[in-house]
Amino acid sequence: MKHIGWKFYLGTILVALSTAAYALHYVFFRDAHHIFIYLLGDIAFVFIEVLMVTLIIHQVLEMREKRNRIQKLNMVIGAFFSEVGTSLLKELRECDSEIESLQASLSASEGNKLEVVEKALKNHAVHLTLTAKDFRDLKGALYEKKTFLLRLLENQNLLEHESFTDTLWAVFHLIEELDARDSLDEVPKGDLHHLIGDATRAYKALCGEWIQYMKHLKTSYPYLYSLALRTNPFDKNASATVVE
């Protein structure tokens, strides 16, 4: 005989108690008409109660829970940029042959506004030109972050943010590619082209994710947003120092 859960026993007990209460009512008052009137009214209200609980209250609670999960996820994203993302953006920026045009766009206008940075990045044509030495330096800088990225990938909340998950995988894949090579002293031309493709994928994903994270900070944490924008990783002249 299959195990019957406690919910079944509880349901049986509650139905039995309800039946006993109606029977006691009939014993004392002998008014079946009254009992059935209220019983039918209670049954009729059940449908409205289901509507309120399942479609309205449950939806509100679910939305609130989702906001809390997204809030926690943005904390994870913040930790990622603080530990890995921002420094990696700066390192790859130095290998972007088109960075000067981006720099000009930020310098020629109000580069301290997120809208300006977002527009400049949207129109920016990424062209990384990394050498074997660049990849050796990158491997040394990223290898120690591998454990940190693995812990992030284990976070179930990441399922709520597909684009950030893709960014993590792009960065992690770059680390794996570099780690899989015993030596980066002499990299064949074809292999160098392959590694540049992996680095470009990670760089583009980081750019888009950085903008989305900045939008979150601007709405929820203005003081963090101010510092992050002042230390904009795409601006070589960026400084945390506040200039009036």
Side-chain angles (χ1 to χ4, degrees):
M1 186 176 180
K2 293 183 178 180
H3 176 70
I4 301 177
W6 64 270
K7 292 182 180 179
F8 174 80
Y9 290 114
L10 178 61
T12 303
I13 293 172
L14 292 175
V15 171
L17 289 174
S18 180
T19 303
Y22 279 119
L24 187 63
H25 183 282
Y26 180 76
V27 168
F28 278 101
F29 300 104
R30 299 290 178 175
D31 190 355
H33 178 71
H34 181 271
I35 292 175
F36 282 109
I37 287 177
Y38 279 93
L39 178 62
L40 183 61
D42 291 339
I43 293 175
F45 185 72
V46 166
F47 302 105
I48 298 177
E49 188 176 14
V50 170
L51 172 67
M52 293 178 62
V53 172
T54 61
L55 299 183
I56 300 177
I57 298 178
H58 178 72
Q59 186 71 17
V60 171
L61 293 176
E62 190 176 74
M63 290 174 60
R64 182 178 180 181
E65 183 181 353
K66 185 176 181 179
R67 282 198 301 269
N68 290 336
R69 289 198 304 269
I70 292 176
Q71 187 74 7
K72 292 178 181 178
L73 177 57
N74 279 313
M75 292 176 63
V76 174
I77 296 175
F80 166 76
F81 276 105
S82 177
E83 188 72 17
V84 182
T86 302
S87 59
L88 181 55
L89 278 172
K90 290 180 179 179
E91 290 181 31
L92 292 177
R93 175 199 68 189
E94 296 301 320
C95 302
D96 187 353
S97 61
E98 301 295 328
I99 195 64
E100 294 302 329
S101 61
L102 177 62
Q103 184 73 43
S105 298
L106 296 178
S107 301
S109 56
E110 296 182 78
N112 62 337
K113 288 188 176 181
L114 181 59
E115 295 78 7
V116 173
V117 181
E118 182 179 12
K119 183 178 179 181
L121 281 176
K122 185 177 180 180
N123 297 326
H124 177 56
V126 174
H127 187 230
L128 297 182
T129 55
L130 293 97
T131 63
K133 180 182 182 304
D134 293 326
F135 280 117
R136 285 199 304 272
D137 296 340
L138 203 58
K139 180 179 180 179
L142 289 177
Y143 182 76
E144 61 184 20
K145 307 297 183 181
K146 188 174 180 180
T147 303
F148 174 75
L149 292 177
L150 280 173
R151 288 201 302 268
L152 289 186
L153 288 169
E154 293 172 356
N155 193 319
Q156 294 298 315
N157 289 326
L158 290 179
L159 297 175
E160 298 286 339
H161 204 310
E162 185 177 348
S163 63
F164 180 64
T165 303
D166 292 341
T167 300
L168 269 184
W169 277 118
V171 174
F172 189 75
H173 176 71
L174 177 61
I175 297 175
E176 289 283 275
E177 286 278 0
L178 296 175
D179 190 40
R181 289 159 175 78
D182 296 329
S183 175
L184 289 169
D185 294 330
E186 294 183 8
V187 182
K189 185 176 181 180
D191 196 35
L192 186 63
H193 180 74
H194 176 80
L195 290 175
I196 289 175
D198 291 330
T200 300
R201 182 191 304 111
Y203 185 50
K204 288 181 177 180
L206 281 168
C207 290
E209 206 56 50
W210 184 82
I211 289 294
Q212 295 306 313
Y213 176 61
M214 290 293 289
K215 289 180 178 179
H216 162 70
L217 290 184
K218 184 177 182 180
T219 302
S220 304
Y221 301 100
Y223 55 96
L224 293 178
Y225 167 76
S226 174
L227 175 61
L229 194 59
R230 277 183 277 120
T231 55
N232 176 4
F234 304 102
D235 188 354
K236 293 182 178 181
N237 300 321
S239 172
T241 304
V242 178
V243 180
E244 295 295 339

